[in-house]
Amino acid sequence: MANSSFNSLKYDVFSSSELAEDFFDSLKDDYAGFSKWYTKKMVAGEKAYTFRGPKKRLDGFLYLKSECISEGIDPILPPGKRLKIGTMKINAHGTRLGERFIKKAFDHAINEKVEFIYVTVFSKHKSLVDLFLRYGFKFHGYKDTPDGREEVFLKLLTPLEGNPVKDFPKLGLKNKRYFLLAIYPEYHSSFLPESILNNESLDILEDVSHTNSIHKIYISGIARAKQMRSGDIIVIYRTTDRPGFAKFRSVATSIVVVEEVRQIKSFDTESEFVRYTKPYSVFTKDELKDYFTNKKKHYIIKFTYNAALATRIIRGKLIDECGIAAPRWDLIGLTEDQVRWIADFGGVNEGLIID
């Protein structure tokens, strides 16, 4: 869901004024040579992501670097092109900024066709380590430095593990179940922004993002939703915004992977339900409370948002060229061939699909 504070995410050159901010004090404490390293990157004109929250204070910094060799790691890393998360620091304030930065690292990895991503981190930063582990990084070894021993974590981009979160952003299409899920335009515009980077700052238009966030939750009243299971593939379909023009204005927009499907009745309390759904849905807290009380929509679909289509595909083409036929386009089954056609015609980055 769009959030005005996210407009403070920028991809820009290293700045001397930012280095002077107290945000970097902990990094200067951890690494004696941090200021010298930062200045070297600034002179070279290198870029990093920075995030400023509502108070305009620096709350996040992410530097990424492509490499072919990496020194000082035991055991040595596997051969191949790799992306190093060189520096990542966040002040967490419930904004899911860590997830956002992880997504940016994945975007770069796919664009640059690297074989794996790695990061070195001191074990005392447990919350950061837990974040990497959640998204498929695995402990690899150690790196001894003048500042102490760091742990090394590695994420191979193939093969898949069969877990939608650990496999993100990549997905496999073989031997799955496939669905098309329709979403009304008034929800789609904030839930799944129609244009890549539509909800980003203009300062990072050069950065190609394939997704707008990692997780989404959709609440549905369609009984067939209970058929869905973890790993199922969904094509998101935005219904027409003008009655009578569905053939030209209803469009397929993205491909996602189901994490889990739950029923509202599976939550013991209202607060448990709101806590689960609020971070990744478009609904307000009051609307969610109403859903819980009245049980008007029974099914909660949580999925990873893997691929936004570069070319949205109108309903007419989905019928005439993809062969989709159904009396009612709300939640319908698709075939593997149809999903592959949508991914190909929609311009999904080929690096996102591994089979």
Side-chain angles (χ1 to χ4, degrees):
M1 184 168 62
N3 186 314
S4 60
S5 67
F6 284 176
N7 292 330
S8 298
L9 179 69
K10 294 185 178 182
Y11 186 58
D12 208 345
V13 294
F14 281 59
S15 162
S16 59
S17 61
E18 288 175 348
L19 178 60
E21 296 187 43
D22 58 10
F23 171 84
F24 288 111
D25 287 351
S26 63
L27 287 170
K28 293 173 184 175
D29 291 339
D30 281 349
Y31 304 97
F34 180 80
S35 294
K36 183 178 179 180
W37 170 85
Y38 188 101
T39 301
K40 181 180 177 181
K41 298 298 180 185
M42 183 176 64
V43 171
E46 295 207 38
K47 294 184 176 183
Y49 289 98
T50 57
F51 177 88
R52 292 185 181 275
K55 296 181 180 179
K56 307 299 183 184
R57 184 175 58 192
L58 189 60
D59 277 334
F61 181 86
L62 173 66
Y63 170 68
L64 303 168
K65 178 185 178 184
S66 291
E67 295 180 340
C68 290
I69 58 172
S70 309
E71 298 179 349
I73 295 174
D74 184 28
I76 62 172
L77 294 172
K81 186 177 179 182
R82 72 287 309 262
L83 181 73
K84 179 183 181 181
I85 299 179
T87 303
M88 177 170 162
K89 180 181 186 298
I90 57 174
N91 290 335
H93 300 298
T95 60
R96 303 183 300 282
L97 181 58
E99 294 176 14
R100 194 165 173 79
F101 275 1
I102 289 286
K103 180 188 74 68
K104 289 300 179 188
F106 292 160
D107 287 344
H108 280 255
I110 296 299
N111 288 332
E112 296 176 23
K113 297 181 171 60
V114 305
E115 295 175 60
F116 61 89
I117 310 170
Y118 83 99
V119 62
T120 64
V121 59
F122 288 119
S123 59
K124 67 180 182 179
H125 299 302
K126 188 177 184 303
S127 61
L128 198 56
V129 170
D130 288 344
L131 180 70
F132 290 128
L133 292 175
R134 181 183 181 194
Y135 291 104
F137 286 78
K138 297 184 184 300
F139 175 77
H140 173 79
Y142 296 96
K143 181 176 182 179
D144 289 315
T145 75
D147 300 296
R149 169 171 279 196
E150 292 183 288
E151 295 180 334
V152 181
F153 295 89
L154 178 76
K155 179 182 172 74
L156 296 172
L157 294 177
T158 55
L160 299 182
E161 295 185 31
N163 179 307
V165 178
K166 292 186 182 298
D167 288 338
F168 183 88
K170 296 212 170 185
L171 67 157
L173 295 182
K174 284 187 179 298
N175 303 317
K176 301 292 180 65
R177 297 192 310 167
Y178 317 90
F179 298 89
L180 178 144
L181 174 65
I183 296 180
Y184 290 126
E186 59 265 32
Y187 294 130
H188 188 284
S189 60
S190 56
F191 184 51
L192 306 171
E194 293 183 348
S195 119
I196 295 173
L197 291 178
N198 184 49
N199 64 336
E200 301 278 16
S201 163
L202 293 176
D203 297 295
I204 54 169
L205 280 176
E206 65 186 278
D207 171 43
V208 179
S209 293
H210 299 286
T211 66
N212 295 286
S213 69
I214 292 178
H215 306 280
K216 296 291 184 181
I217 282 179
Y218 184 72
I219 302 176
S220 173
I222 304 171
R224 291 188 298 282
K226 65 183 177 183
Q227 301 172 6
M228 292 183 174
R229 299 291 183 269
S230 177
D232 289 352
I233 306 297
I234 300 178
V235 172
I236 299 294
Y237 171 81
R238 192 212 66 188
T239 60
T240 181
D241 54 353
R242 295 184 189 174
F245 290 84
K247 187 173 182 178
F248 305 102
R249 297 192 65 84
S250 293
V251 291
T253 66
S254 36
I255 298 176
V256 307
V257 181
V258 176
E259 288 184 57
E260 64 176 351
V261 176
R262 296 183 62 176
Q263 295 191 43
I264 288 183
K265 66 182 182 182
S266 71
F267 295 91
D268 293 328
T269 65
E270 178 186 272
S271 60
E272 180 189 354
F273 170 71
V274 172
R275 191 162 54 247
Y276 179 86
T277 54
K278 183 67 174 70
Y280 301 111
S281 75
V282 298
F283 302 108
T284 66
K285 190 173 182 179
D286 286 340
E287 287 172 328
L288 291 171
K289 287 181 176 180
D290 183 61
Y291 280 138
F292 183 82
T293 301
N294 296 312
K295 306 291 192 297
K296 288 182 291 188
K297 293 187 176 182
H298 299 278
Y299 305 101
I300 300 98
I301 307 168
K302 186 176 185 181
F303 55 82
T304 57
Y305 188 32
N306 295 63
L309 302 186
T311 299
R312 298 191 294 275
I313 309 171
I314 62 173
R315 179 187 178 113
K317 283 189 176 294
L318 293 171
I319 295 171
D320 298 336
E321 299 181 34
C322 189
I324 299 176
R328 181 177 175 84
W329 290 44
D330 49 6
L331 178 59
I332 59 177
L334 299 177
T335 67
E336 179 182 336
D337 286 345
Q338 287 171 331
V339 175
R340 289 189 184 279
W341 185 93
I342 290 168
D344 182 56
F345 191 90
V348 171
N349 188 309
E350 61 182 14
L352 289 170
I353 299 174
I354 71 158
D355 58 14

